Amino acid sequence: MAGFWGRRKREQEELNTQDADLARRAQQALVAADERIRLTTDELAFADAELGPGPTNELREALASVRTHLQEAFHLHQLNHDEIPDTPEELRTRNARIVQLCEWAEDLLDDRTEALAAPIERARRAPEIIAKVRADAARLRLRLPDARSTVDRLAIRYSSHALSQIEANPAEAEQLLGFAEHSAGVAERRREAGQREQANMALEASTESVRRAETLIDAVETFEVEALRAESTLAAIVEDSRGDLVVALKEPHSPAVQTAIEELQAALAALPAAGVNTDPFEQLSRLREANAGLDAAIAAARDRAARPIPPLEHVCHAIDDADRQLAVSRDVIAGHRGWIGADARTRFAEAERVRLDLDRYLGSSAAAVTAIDEDHREQAFAMARRAAFLASEALQLAQRDIDAARPQPDQWGGPGYGQQGYGQPGWGGGRRGGGSDVMGGILGGLVIGSILDGIFD
């Protein structure tokens, strides 16, 4: 007993320590959250001055929500210290709720103030950013003549279709630079007038315009390099494609291979003569696609050659064999319903499902079965063999269940049910022998059928 009460005392002391720690955490969290509200209120005023009321609206709403919920936390803390006695469970529940509310408040304010950190920093650096926008615009304007001359030089070598993605870039870049310089001036004037929100919007527009203008000018130079690379790659693929055609003409000519050969020949014939303006990117894409199509067709033809397609008569024979074995299994299971267990029924149900899937795969009409094309024969043959195998298993399991269900010799006190021999006197004299002969004939037929399947494979 002394050990029991000692353990209870220790457990109670640990619980009291945990409750005291939770109460201390609740008080500290309440003070920290209240201070955070005051600090964030000052930050909101500063953000309004830098950004205007629009961008700071989410922080303002978050601050109002936090104030509302913190009133609940203060009320719970007040209940913990009023004149009404509280149970330890009540104090524990209130303190846990106070901690939860205060942590939520600080997390929400952290999220909202962090979202404003970058815009505030940009607003503080507005004069520096405006100066950089103007310097970048002046630097990019110096690159415009080179960009125009590059487009003119490329127009001599490449088609208008190829140049359509970059020929207007110098003009668009010049317009964007003009807009950037104008927006920088607007940002400067709005900032001096105290219209911070409008000033920041204009500042963002000017920086984005400079970025887009530089991207357009860079694209002109990149195009020239990529076009030369495409021409070099195109020459290598042309040589490779001609070699592939030589190999393909020696391969077995399936319809798919022949079609792929013709498509690659057409792609090679469509290549323009020397001195004609071209689109190397379009030609490269077309030739690559045709070359890959020929490789895939040859691989499929080789794979098919390695796995001979079953003749149509073998497929039809396999389907007929599956139907015969299903019919035999169905009759045996239906004739001994009280004796057949779950295993045999499951195999038979799976065999029927596979056979039904085969009908869906081929189409249920007899014409579909007798006109299976080469692309579907292998799958149909495999499904038919699978259905026949499952039906055979079902029949063997059914025979096992039938044998197990028949009475044993010691149940009848004589030589056994049906063991006198066919036609001998006794209960059920020739019944067992006759049943075994019938089942033996069925199984023998299945064995003969499987041998014939092996001959026809």
Coordinates of all heavy atoms in Angstrom, one line a residue, residues 249-282:
L249 N 15.8 -0.5 -95.4 CA 15.4 -1.2 -96.7 C 15.8 -2.7 -96.7 O 15.3 -3.5 -97.4 CB 16.1 -0.5 -97.9 CG 15.5 0.9 -98.2 CD1 16.3 1.6 -99.2 CD2 14.1 0.8 -98.6
K250 N 16.8 -3.0 -95.8 CA 17.2 -4.4 -95.6 C 16.3 -5.2 -94.6 O 16.5 -6.4 -94.4 CB 18.6 -4.5 -95.3 CG 19.6 -3.9 -96.3 CD 21.0 -4.0 -95.8 CE 21.9 -3.3 -96.9 NZ 23.4 -3.3 -96.4
E251 N 15.5 -4.4 -93.8 CA 14.7 -5.0 -92.8 C 13.5 -5.7 -93.3 O 13.1 -5.3 -94.5 CB 14.4 -4.0 -91.7 CG 15.5 -3.4 -90.9 CD 16.0 -4.4 -89.9 OE1 15.3 -5.3 -89.5 OE2 17.2 -4.3 -89.6
P252 N 12.8 -6.6 -92.6 CA 11.5 -7.1 -93.0 C 10.5 -5.9 -93.2 O 10.4 -5.1 -92.3 CB 11.1 -8.0 -91.8 CG 12.3 -8.3 -91.2 CD 13.3 -7.2 -91.3
H253 N 9.9 -5.9 -94.4 CA 9.1 -4.7 -94.7 C 7.6 -4.9 -94.2 O 6.7 -5.3 -94.9 CB 9.1 -4.5 -96.2 CG 10.1 -3.6 -96.7 ND1 11.4 -3.7 -96.2 CD2 10.1 -2.5 -97.5 CE1 12.2 -2.7 -96.8 NE2 11.4 -2.0 -97.5
S254 N 7.4 -4.6 -92.9 CA 6.1 -4.6 -92.4 C 5.4 -3.3 -92.9 O 6.1 -2.3 -93.3 CB 6.1 -4.6 -90.9 OG 6.6 -3.5 -90.4
P255 N 4.1 -3.2 -92.9 CA 3.4 -1.9 -93.3 C 3.9 -0.7 -92.5 O 4.1 0.4 -93.0 CB 2.0 -2.2 -93.0 CG 1.8 -3.7 -93.1 CD 3.1 -4.2 -92.6
A256 N 4.1 -0.9 -91.2 CA 4.6 0.2 -90.3 C 6.0 0.7 -90.7 O 6.2 1.9 -90.8 CB 4.6 -0.2 -88.9
V257 N 6.9 -0.2 -91.0 CA 8.2 0.1 -91.5 C 8.2 0.8 -92.8 O 8.9 1.9 -93.0 CB 9.1 -1.1 -91.5 CG1 10.5 -0.8 -92.1 CG2 9.3 -1.7 -90.1
Q258 N 7.4 0.3 -93.7 CA 7.3 1.0 -95.0 C 6.8 2.4 -94.9 O 7.3 3.3 -95.6 CB 6.4 0.1 -95.9 CG 6.3 0.7 -97.4 CD 7.6 0.7 -98.1 OE1 8.5 -0.2 -97.9 NE2 7.9 1.7 -98.9
T259 N 5.7 2.6 -94.1 CA 5.2 4.0 -93.9 C 6.2 4.9 -93.3 O 6.4 6.0 -93.7 CB 4.0 3.9 -93.0 OG1 3.0 3.0 -93.6 CG2 3.4 5.3 -92.7
A260 N 7.0 4.4 -92.3 CA 8.0 5.2 -91.7 C 9.1 5.5 -92.7 O 9.7 6.7 -92.7 CB 8.6 4.5 -90.5
I261 N 9.5 4.6 -93.5 CA 10.5 4.9 -94.6 C 10.0 6.0 -95.5 O 10.8 6.9 -95.8 CB 10.8 3.6 -95.4 CG1 11.6 2.6 -94.5 CG2 11.6 3.9 -96.7 CD1 11.8 1.2 -95.2
E262 N 8.8 5.9 -95.9 CA 8.3 6.9 -96.8 C 8.2 8.3 -96.2 O 8.5 9.3 -96.8 CB 6.9 6.5 -97.3 CG 6.9 5.3 -98.2 CD 5.5 4.8 -98.5 OE1 4.5 5.3 -97.9 OE2 5.3 3.8 -99.2
E263 N 7.9 8.4 -94.9 CA 7.8 9.6 -94.2 C 9.2 10.2 -94.0 O 9.4 11.5 -94.2 CB 7.2 9.5 -92.8 CG 5.7 9.2 -92.9 CD 5.1 9.0 -91.5 OE1 5.8 8.9 -90.5 OE2 3.8 8.8 -91.4
L264 N 10.2 9.4 -93.8 CA 11.6 9.9 -93.6 C 12.1 10.4 -95.0 O 12.8 11.4 -95.1 CB 12.5 8.9 -93.0 CG 13.9 9.3 -92.8 CD1 14.0 10.5 -91.9 CD2 14.7 8.1 -92.1
Q265 N 11.8 9.6 -96.0 CA 12.2 10.0 -97.4 C 11.5 11.4 -97.8 O 12.2 12.2 -98.4 CB 11.8 9.0 -98.4 CG 12.7 7.7 -98.3 CD 12.2 6.6 -99.2 OE1 11.0 6.5 -99.5 NE2 13.1 5.7 -99.6
A266 N 10.3 11.6 -97.4 CA 9.6 12.8 -97.7 C 10.2 14.0 -96.9 O 10.4 15.1 -97.5 CB 8.1 12.7 -97.3
A267 N 10.6 13.7 -95.7 CA 11.3 14.8 -94.9 C 12.6 15.2 -95.5 O 13.0 16.4 -95.5 CB 11.4 14.3 -93.4
L268 N 13.4 14.2 -95.9 CA 14.6 14.5 -96.6 C 14.4 15.2 -97.9 O 15.2 16.2 -98.2 CB 15.4 13.2 -96.8 CG 16.0 12.5 -95.6 CD1 16.5 11.1 -95.9 CD2 17.1 13.4 -94.9
A269 N 13.4 14.8 -98.7 CA 13.2 15.5 -100.0 C 12.7 16.9 -99.8 O 12.9 17.8 -100.7 CB 12.1 14.7 -100.7
A270 N 12.1 17.2 -98.6 CA 11.6 18.6 -98.4 C 12.7 19.6 -98.0 O 12.4 20.8 -97.9 CB 10.5 18.5 -97.3
L271 N 13.9 19.1 -97.7 CA 14.9 20.0 -97.4 C 15.2 20.9 -98.5 O 15.4 20.5 -99.7 CB 16.2 19.2 -97.0 CG 16.1 18.4 -95.7 CD1 17.4 17.6 -95.5 CD2 15.9 19.3 -94.5
P272 N 15.4 22.2 -98.3 CA 15.6 23.2 -99.4 C 17.0 23.1 -100.0 O 17.9 22.6 -99.3 CB 15.4 24.6 -98.8 CG 15.7 24.3 -97.3 CD 15.3 22.9 -97.0
A273 N 17.2 23.5 -101.2 CA 18.5 23.5 -101.8 C 19.4 24.5 -101.2 O 19.0 25.5 -100.5 CB 18.3 23.7 -103.3
A274 N 20.7 24.4 -101.5 CA 21.6 25.4 -100.9 C 21.3 26.8 -101.5 O 21.0 27.0 -102.6 CB 23.1 25.0 -101.3
G275 N 21.5 27.8 -100.6 CA 21.3 29.2 -101.0 C 19.8 29.6 -100.8 O 19.6 30.8 -100.9
V276 N 18.9 28.7 -100.4 CA 17.5 29.1 -100.2 C 17.4 29.4 -98.7 O 17.9 28.7 -97.8 CB 16.6 28.0 -100.6 CG1 15.1 28.3 -100.3 CG2 16.7 27.7 -102.1
N277 N 16.6 30.5 -98.4 CA 16.4 30.9 -97.0 C 15.6 29.7 -96.3 O 14.6 29.3 -96.9 CB 15.6 32.2 -96.9 CG 16.5 33.3 -97.2 OD1 17.6 33.2 -97.7 ND2 16.0 34.5 -97.0
T278 N 16.0 29.3 -95.2 CA 15.4 28.2 -94.5 C 14.9 28.5 -93.1 O 15.2 29.6 -92.5 CB 16.4 27.0 -94.4 OG1 17.5 27.4 -93.6 CG2 16.9 26.6 -95.8
D279 N 14.2 27.5 -92.5 CA 13.9 27.5 -91.1 C 14.5 26.3 -90.5 O 13.9 25.2 -90.5 CB 12.3 27.5 -90.9 CG 12.0 27.7 -89.4 OD1 12.8 27.5 -88.6 OD2 10.8 27.9 -89.2
P280 N 15.7 26.4 -90.0 CA 16.4 25.2 -89.5 C 15.7 24.5 -88.3 O 15.8 23.3 -88.2 CB 17.8 25.7 -89.1 CG 17.6 27.2 -88.8 CD 16.5 27.6 -89.8
F281 N 15.0 25.3 -87.5 CA 14.3 24.7 -86.4 C 13.2 23.8 -86.8 O 13.0 22.7 -86.3 CB 13.8 25.8 -85.4 CG 14.8 26.8 -84.9 CD1 15.0 28.0 -85.5 CD2 15.7 26.4 -84.0 CE1 16.0 28.9 -85.0 CE2 16.7 27.2 -83.5 CZ 16.8 28.5 -84.0
E282 N 12.3 24.3 -87.8 CA 11.2 23.5 -88.2 C 11.7 22.2 -89.0 O 11.2 21.1 -88.8 CB 10.4 24.3 -89.2 CG 9.1 23.6 -89.7 CD 8.3 24.5 -90.6 OE1 8.8 25.6 -91.0 OE2 7.2 24.1 -91.0

